[in-house]
PDB file of all heavy atoms in Angstrom:
ATOM      1  N   ILE A 124     140.348 157.254  66.284  1.00  0.00           N
ATOM      2  CA  ILE A 124     139.776 156.626  65.087  1.00  0.00           C
ATOM      3  C   ILE A 124     140.150 157.477  63.882  1.00  0.00           C
ATOM      4  O   ILE A 124     139.938 158.700  63.876  1.00  0.00           O
ATOM      5  CB  ILE A 124     138.247 156.514  65.202  1.00  0.00           C
ATOM      6  CG1 ILE A 124     137.874 155.616  66.377  1.00  0.00           C
ATOM      7  CG2 ILE A 124     137.646 155.966  63.911  1.00  0.00           C
ATOM      8  CD1 ILE A 124     136.393 155.475  66.600  1.00  0.00           C
ATOM      9  N   CYS A 125     140.715 156.847  62.897  1.00  0.00           N
ATOM     10  CA  CYS A 125     141.163 157.546  61.697  1.00  0.00           C
ATOM     11  C   CYS A 125     140.064 157.515  60.636  1.00  0.00           C
ATOM     12  O   CYS A 125     139.376 156.506  60.467  1.00  0.00           O
ATOM     13  CB  CYS A 125     142.437 156.894  61.167  1.00  0.00           C
ATOM     14  SG  CYS A 125     143.191 157.781  59.785  1.00  0.00           S
ATOM     15  N   MET A 126     139.906 158.643  59.939  1.00  0.00           N
ATOM     16  CA  MET A 126     138.917 158.772  58.868  1.00  0.00           C
ATOM     17  C   MET A 126     139.632 158.950  57.523  1.00  0.00           C
ATOM     18  O   MET A 126     140.609 159.697  57.430  1.00  0.00           O
ATOM     19  CB  MET A 126     138.009 159.980  59.115  1.00  0.00           C
ATOM     20  CG  MET A 126     137.346 160.003  60.472  1.00  0.00           C
ATOM     21  SD  MET A 126     136.022 158.792  60.586  1.00  0.00           S
ATOM     22  CE  MET A 126     135.320 159.225  62.188  1.00  0.00           C
ATOM     23  N   ALA A 127     139.117 158.278  56.501  1.00  0.00           N
ATOM     24  CA  ALA A 127     139.680 158.398  55.154  1.00  0.00           C
ATOM     25  C   ALA A 127     138.573 158.185  54.137  1.00  0.00           C
ATOM     26  O   ALA A 127     137.490 157.683  54.474  1.00  0.00           O
ATOM     27  CB  ALA A 127     140.808 157.388  54.952  1.00  0.00           C
ATOM     28  N   GLN A 128     138.846 158.603  52.904  1.00  0.00           N
ATOM     29  CA  GLN A 128     137.847 158.447  51.844  1.00  0.00           C
ATOM     30  C   GLN A 128     138.539 158.088  50.537  1.00  0.00           C
ATOM     31  O   GLN A 128     139.767 158.177  50.405  1.00  0.00           O
ATOM     32  CB  GLN A 128     137.058 159.747  51.650  1.00  0.00           C
ATOM     33  CG  GLN A 128     137.875 160.872  51.032  1.00  0.00           C
ATOM     34  CD  GLN A 128     137.035 162.086  50.705  1.00  0.00           C
ATOM     35  OE1 GLN A 128     136.041 162.344  51.343  1.00  0.00           O
ATOM     36  NE2 GLN A 128     137.462 162.850  49.700  1.00  0.00           N
ATOM     37  N   ARG A 129     137.723 157.730  49.585  1.00  0.00           N
ATOM     38  CA  ARG A 129     138.242 157.453  48.237  1.00  0.00           C
ATOM     39  C   ARG A 129     137.180 157.833  47.235  1.00  0.00           C
ATOM     40  O   ARG A 129     136.002 157.466  47.379  1.00  0.00           O
ATOM     41  CB  ARG A 129     138.582 155.973  48.097  1.00  0.00           C
ATOM     42  CG  ARG A 129     139.086 155.611  46.705  1.00  0.00           C
ATOM     43  CD  ARG A 129     139.357 154.122  46.589  1.00  0.00           C
ATOM     44  NE  ARG A 129     139.882 153.786  45.290  1.00  0.00           N
ATOM     45  CZ  ARG A 129     140.158 152.559  44.880  1.00  0.00           C
ATOM     46  NH1 ARG A 129     139.958 151.549  45.719  1.00  0.00           N
ATOM     47  NH2 ARG A 129     140.629 152.324  43.675  1.00  0.00           N
ATOM     48  N   ASN A 130     137.611 158.571  46.223  1.00  0.00           N
ATOM     49  CA  ASN A 130     136.715 158.937  45.124  1.00  0.00           C
ATOM     50  C   ASN A 130     136.703 157.790  44.126  1.00  0.00           C
ATOM     51  O   ASN A 130     137.677 157.555  43.413  1.00  0.00           O
ATOM     52  CB  ASN A 130     137.188 160.229  44.459  1.00  0.00           C
ATOM     53  CG  ASN A 130     136.189 160.744  43.426  1.00  0.00           C
ATOM     54  OD1 ASN A 130     135.271 160.018  43.037  1.00  0.00           O
ATOM     55  ND2 ASN A 130     136.367 161.972  42.979  1.00  0.00           N
ATOM     56  N   LEU A 131     135.583 157.065  44.118  1.00  0.00           N
ATOM     57  CA  LEU A 131     135.499 155.894  43.243  1.00  0.00           C
ATOM     58  C   LEU A 131     135.284 156.275  41.788  1.00  0.00           C
ATOM     59  O   LEU A 131     135.315 155.408  40.910  1.00  0.00           O
ATOM     60  CB  LEU A 131     134.373 154.973  43.715  1.00  0.00           C
ATOM     61  CG  LEU A 131     134.560 154.387  45.123  1.00  0.00           C
ATOM     62  CD1 LEU A 131     133.376 153.499  45.477  1.00  0.00           C
ATOM     63  CD2 LEU A 131     135.861 153.610  45.237  1.00  0.00           C
ATOM     64  N   ASP A 132     135.063 157.591  41.509  1.00  0.00           N
ATOM     65  CA  ASP A 132     134.915 158.012  40.106  1.00  0.00           C
ATOM     66  C   ASP A 132     136.199 157.741  39.334  1.00  0.00           C
ATOM     67  O   ASP A 132     136.169 157.409  38.141  1.00  0.00           O
ATOM     68  CB  ASP A 132     134.601 159.513  40.027  1.00  0.00           C
ATOM     69  CG  ASP A 132     133.304 159.839  40.744  1.00  0.00           C
ATOM     70  OD1 ASP A 132     132.677 158.904  41.247  1.00  0.00           O
ATOM     71  OD2 ASP A 132     132.938 161.024  40.783  1.00  0.00           O
ATOM     72  N   HIS A 133     137.334 157.925  40.003  1.00  0.00           N
ATOM     73  CA  HIS A 133     138.627 157.807  39.340  1.00  0.00           C
ATOM     74  C   HIS A 133     139.341 156.525  39.704  1.00  0.00           C
ATOM     75  O   HIS A 133     140.563 156.440  39.631  1.00  0.00           O
ATOM     76  CB  HIS A 133     139.507 159.012  39.711  1.00  0.00           C
ATOM     77  CG  HIS A 133     138.870 160.323  39.421  1.00  0.00           C
ATOM     78  ND1 HIS A 133     138.094 161.001  40.332  1.00  0.00           N
ATOM     79  CD2 HIS A 133     138.850 161.069  38.287  1.00  0.00           C
ATOM     80  CE1 HIS A 133     137.638 162.127  39.798  1.00  0.00           C
ATOM     81  NE2 HIS A 133     138.090 162.199  38.547  1.00  0.00           N
ATOM     82  N   SER A 134     138.584 155.534  40.099  1.00  0.00           N
ATOM     83  CA  SER A 134     139.187 154.246  40.438  1.00  0.00           C
ATOM     84  C   SER A 134     138.932 153.261  39.309  1.00  0.00           C
ATOM     85  O   SER A 134     138.063 153.473  38.456  1.00  0.00           O
ATOM     86  CB  SER A 134     138.565 153.707  41.723  1.00  0.00           C
ATOM     87  OG  SER A 134     137.217 153.335  41.492  1.00  0.00           O
ATOM     88  N   PRO A 135     139.679 152.189  39.279  1.00  0.00           N
ATOM     89  CA  PRO A 135     139.454 151.176  38.245  1.00  0.00           C
ATOM     90  C   PRO A 135     138.157 150.393  38.420  1.00  0.00           C
ATOM     91  O   PRO A 135     137.826 149.565  37.585  1.00  0.00           O
ATOM     92  CB  PRO A 135     140.674 150.257  38.383  1.00  0.00           C
ATOM     93  CG  PRO A 135     141.157 150.460  39.777  1.00  0.00           C
ATOM     94  CD  PRO A 135     140.842 151.875  40.119  1.00  0.00           C
ATOM     95  N   ILE A 136     137.412 150.662  39.516  1.00  0.00           N
ATOM     96  CA  ILE A 136     136.157 149.963  39.733  1.00  0.00           C
ATOM     97  C   ILE A 136     135.115 150.455  38.739  1.00  0.00           C
ATOM     98  O   ILE A 136     134.925 151.658  38.557  1.00  0.00           O
ATOM     99  CB  ILE A 136     135.658 150.188  41.173  1.00  0.00           C
ATOM    100  CG1 ILE A 136     136.689 149.658  42.169  1.00  0.00           C
ATOM    101  CG2 ILE A 136     134.313 149.543  41.392  1.00  0.00           C
ATOM    102  CD1 ILE A 136     136.313 149.909  43.597  1.00  0.00           C
ATOM    103  N   THR A 137     134.450 149.537  38.093  1.00  0.00           N
ATOM    104  CA  THR A 137     133.386 149.905  37.164  1.00  0.00           C
ATOM    105  C   THR A 137     132.152 150.319  37.949  1.00  0.00           C
ATOM    106  O   THR A 137     131.684 149.593  38.829  1.00  0.00           O
ATOM    107  CB  THR A 137     133.046 148.717  36.242  1.00  0.00           C
ATOM    108  OG1 THR A 137     134.225 148.330  35.554  1.00  0.00           O
ATOM    109  CG2 THR A 137     131.968 149.126  35.256  1.00  0.00           C
ATOM    110  N   LEU A 138     131.637 151.498  37.655  1.00  0.00           N
ATOM    111  CA  LEU A 138     130.465 152.012  38.352  1.00  0.00           C
ATOM    112  C   LEU A 138     129.224 151.774  37.496  1.00  0.00           C
ATOM    113  O   LEU A 138     128.956 152.503  36.534  1.00  0.00           O
ATOM    114  CB  LEU A 138     130.624 153.506  38.629  1.00  0.00           C
ATOM    115  CG  LEU A 138     131.815 153.888  39.527  1.00  0.00           C
ATOM    116  CD1 LEU A 138     131.923 155.395  39.622  1.00  0.00           C
ATOM    117  CD2 LEU A 138     131.640 153.278  40.900  1.00  0.00           C
ATOM    118  N   PRO A 139     128.462 150.746  37.787  1.00  0.00           N
ATOM    119  CA  PRO A 139     127.254 150.483  36.986  1.00  0.00           C
ATOM    120  C   PRO A 139     126.201 151.546  37.241  1.00  0.00           C
ATOM    121  O   PRO A 139     126.115 152.117  38.327  1.00  0.00           O
ATOM    122  CB  PRO A 139     126.799 149.109  37.479  1.00  0.00           C
ATOM    123  CG  PRO A 139     127.336 149.015  38.859  1.00  0.00           C
ATOM    124  CD  PRO A 139     128.622 149.781  38.875  1.00  0.00           C
ATOM    125  N   GLU A 140     125.425 151.819  36.217  1.00  0.00           N
ATOM    126  CA  GLU A 140     124.350 152.795  36.367  1.00  0.00           C
ATOM    127  C   GLU A 140     123.152 152.227  37.113  1.00  0.00           C
ATOM    128  O   GLU A 140     122.290 152.969  37.561  1.00  0.00           O
ATOM    129  CB  GLU A 140     123.911 153.287  34.980  1.00  0.00           C
ATOM    130  CG  GLU A 140     125.011 154.037  34.228  1.00  0.00           C
ATOM    131  CD  GLU A 140     124.511 154.607  32.916  1.00  0.00           C
ATOM    132  OE1 GLU A 140     123.303 154.416  32.630  1.00  0.00           O
ATOM    133  OE2 GLU A 140     125.295 155.227  32.185  1.00  0.00           O
ATOM    134  N   ASP A 141     123.114 150.915  37.265  1.00  0.00           N
ATOM    135  CA  ASP A 141     122.028 150.279  37.992  1.00  0.00           C
ATOM    136  C   ASP A 141     122.187 150.593  39.478  1.00  0.00           C
ATOM    137  O   ASP A 141     123.134 150.146  40.132  1.00  0.00           O
ATOM    138  CB  ASP A 141     122.067 148.767  37.764  1.00  0.00           C
ATOM    139  CG  ASP A 141     120.875 148.072  38.420  1.00  0.00           C
ATOM    140  OD1 ASP A 141     120.034 148.782  39.017  1.00  0.00           O
ATOM    141  OD2 ASP A 141     120.812 146.832  38.357  1.00  0.00           O
ATOM    142  N   THR A 142     121.293 151.360  40.043  1.00  0.00           N
ATOM    143  CA  THR A 142     121.412 151.795  41.440  1.00  0.00           C
ATOM    144  C   THR A 142     121.109 150.682  42.429  1.00  0.00           C
ATOM    145  O   THR A 142     121.287 150.867  43.623  1.00  0.00           O
ATOM    146  CB  THR A 142     120.453 152.972  41.700  1.00  0.00           C
ATOM    147  OG1 THR A 142     119.109 152.563  41.396  1.00  0.00           O
ATOM    148  CG2 THR A 142     120.815 154.170  40.834  1.00  0.00           C
ATOM    149  N   THR A 143     120.632 149.556  41.941  1.00  0.00           N
ATOM    150  CA  THR A 143     120.359 148.449  42.863  1.00  0.00           C
ATOM    151  C   THR A 143     121.614 147.636  43.181  1.00  0.00           C
ATOM    152  O   THR A 143     121.585 146.770  44.052  1.00  0.00           O
ATOM    153  CB  THR A 143     119.303 147.502  42.276  1.00  0.00           C
ATOM    154  OG1 THR A 143     119.798 146.947  41.040  1.00  0.00           O
ATOM    155  CG2 THR A 143     118.017 148.246  41.974  1.00  0.00           C
ATOM    156  N   VAL A 144     122.700 147.907  42.454  1.00  0.00           N
ATOM    157  CA  VAL A 144     123.931 147.167  42.705  1.00  0.00           C
ATOM    158  C   VAL A 144     124.503 147.572  44.060  1.00  0.00           C
ATOM    159  O   VAL A 144     124.601 148.755  44.378  1.00  0.00           O
ATOM    160  CB  VAL A 144     124.956 147.438  41.579  1.00  0.00           C
ATOM    161  CG1 VAL A 144     126.304 146.824  41.942  1.00  0.00           C
ATOM    162  CG2 VAL A 144     124.452 146.885  40.268  1.00  0.00           C
ATOM    163  N   ARG A 145     124.870 146.548  44.881  1.00  0.00           N
ATOM    164  CA  ARG A 145     125.459 146.805  46.194  1.00  0.00           C
ATOM    165  C   ARG A 145     126.966 146.565  46.111  1.00  0.00           C
ATOM    166  O   ARG A 145     127.416 145.506  45.696  1.00  0.00           O
ATOM    167  CB  ARG A 145     124.854 145.874  47.242  1.00  0.00           C
ATOM    168  CG  ARG A 145     123.370 146.041  47.468  1.00  0.00           C
ATOM    169  CD  ARG A 145     123.067 147.250  48.299  1.00  0.00           C
ATOM    170  NE  ARG A 145     123.645 147.139  49.640  1.00  0.00           N
ATOM    171  CZ  ARG A 145     123.501 148.052  50.584  1.00  0.00           C
ATOM    172  NH1 ARG A 145     122.797 149.156  50.329  1.00  0.00           N
ATOM    173  NH2 ARG A 145     124.045 147.900  51.779  1.00  0.00           N
ATOM    174  N   TYR A 146     127.726 147.572  46.518  1.00  0.00           N
ATOM    175  CA  TYR A 146     129.174 147.462  46.426  1.00  0.00           C
ATOM    176  C   TYR A 146     129.713 146.381  47.357  1.00  0.00           C
ATOM    177  O   TYR A 146     130.711 145.721  47.053  1.00  0.00           O
ATOM    178  CB  TYR A 146     129.819 148.807  46.764  1.00  0.00           C
ATOM    179  CG  TYR A 146     129.744 149.789  45.619  1.00  0.00           C
ATOM    180  CD1 TYR A 146     128.629 150.596  45.448  1.00  0.00           C
ATOM    181  CD2 TYR A 146     130.781 149.902  44.705  1.00  0.00           C
ATOM    182  CE1 TYR A 146     128.542 151.492  44.406  1.00  0.00           C
ATOM    183  CE2 TYR A 146     130.718 150.793  43.655  1.00  0.00           C
ATOM    184  CZ  TYR A 146     129.597 151.597  43.503  1.00  0.00           C
ATOM    185  OH  TYR A 146     129.519 152.483  42.468  1.00  0.00           O
ATOM    186  N   ASP A 147     129.066 146.201  48.536  1.00  0.00           N
ATOM    187  CA  ASP A 147     129.577 145.223  49.478  1.00  0.00           C
ATOM    188  C   ASP A 147     129.347 143.795  49.012  1.00  0.00           C
ATOM    189  O   ASP A 147     129.938 142.864  49.538  1.00  0.00           O
ATOM    190  CB  ASP A 147     128.960 145.429  50.858  1.00  0.00           C
ATOM    191  CG  ASP A 147     127.437 145.518  50.798  1.00  0.00           C
ATOM    192  OD1 ASP A 147     126.901 145.543  49.683  1.00  0.00           O
ATOM    193  OD2 ASP A 147     126.799 145.569  51.865  1.00  0.00           O
ATOM    194  N   LYS A 148     128.472 143.608  47.995  1.00  0.00           N
ATOM    195  CA  LYS A 148     128.209 142.275  47.474  1.00  0.00           C
ATOM    196  C   LYS A 148     128.867 142.042  46.120  1.00  0.00           C
ATOM    197  O   LYS A 148     129.199 140.916  45.777  1.00  0.00           O
ATOM    198  CB  LYS A 148     126.708 142.036  47.366  1.00  0.00           C
ATOM    199  CG  LYS A 148     125.986 142.053  48.718  1.00  0.00           C
ATOM    200  CD  LYS A 148     124.501 141.795  48.536  1.00  0.00           C
ATOM    201  CE  LYS A 148     123.777 141.792  49.876  1.00  0.00           C
ATOM    202  NZ  LYS A 148     122.317 141.561  49.722  1.00  0.00           N
ATOM    203  N   ASP A 149     129.013 143.108  45.338  1.00  0.00           N
ATOM    204  CA  ASP A 149     129.490 142.959  43.967  1.00  0.00           C
ATOM    205  C   ASP A 149     130.934 143.417  43.783  1.00  0.00           C
ATOM    206  O   ASP A 149     131.457 143.337  42.671  1.00  0.00           O
ATOM    207  CB  ASP A 149     128.577 143.737  43.017  1.00  0.00           C
ATOM    208  CG  ASP A 149     127.146 143.227  43.058  1.00  0.00           C
ATOM    209  OD1 ASP A 149     126.904 142.127  42.553  1.00  0.00           O
ATOM    210  OD2 ASP A 149     126.292 143.935  43.632  1.00  0.00           O
ATOM    211  N   CYS A 150     131.577 143.923  44.838  1.00  0.00           N
ATOM    212  CA  CYS A 150     132.956 144.373  44.741  1.00  0.00           C
ATOM    213  C   CYS A 150     133.759 143.771  45.886  1.00  0.00           C
ATOM    214  O   CYS A 150     133.238 143.585  46.986  1.00  0.00           O
ATOM    215  CB  CYS A 150     133.055 145.903  44.798  1.00  0.00           C
ATOM    216  SG  CYS A 150     132.174 146.752  43.463  1.00  0.00           S
ATOM    217  N   ALA A 151     135.016 143.489  45.610  1.00  0.00           N
ATOM    218  CA  ALA A 151     135.896 142.984  46.656  1.00  0.00           C
ATOM    219  C   ALA A 151     136.217 144.101  47.644  1.00  0.00           C
ATOM    220  O   ALA A 151     136.360 145.268  47.263  1.00  0.00           O
ATOM    221  CB  ALA A 151     137.174 142.421  46.045  1.00  0.00           C
ATOM    222  N   ARG A 152     136.354 143.726  48.912  1.00  0.00           N
ATOM    223  CA  ARG A 152     136.634 144.737  49.945  1.00  0.00           C
ATOM    224  C   ARG A 152     137.948 145.446  49.676  1.00  0.00           C
ATOM    225  O   ARG A 152     138.071 146.661  49.862  1.00  0.00           O
ATOM    226  CB  ARG A 152     136.653 144.064  51.320  1.00  0.00           C
ATOM    227  CG  ARG A 152     136.899 145.023  52.466  1.00  0.00           C
ATOM    228  CD  ARG A 152     136.618 144.397  53.812  1.00  0.00           C
ATOM    229  NE  ARG A 152     136.564 145.396  54.853  1.00  0.00           N
ATOM    230  CZ  ARG A 152     135.941 145.260  56.017  1.00  0.00           C
ATOM    231  NH1 ARG A 152     135.303 144.127  56.272  1.00  0.00           N
ATOM    232  NH2 ARG A 152     135.942 146.226  56.902  1.00  0.00           N
TER     233      ARG A 152
END
Side-chain angles (χ1 to χ4, degrees):
I124 297 178
C125 186
M126 307 286 187
Q128 70 173 29
R129 178 182 182 183
N130 187 347
L131 297 180
D132 299 358
H133 305 90
S134 69
I136 300 177
T137 302
L138 299 175
E140 296 185 1
D141 185 1
T142 58
T143 61
V144 172
R145 297 283 297 182
Y146 282 86
D147 51 353
K148 296 181 179 179
D149 299 288
C150 299
R152 181 168 193 157

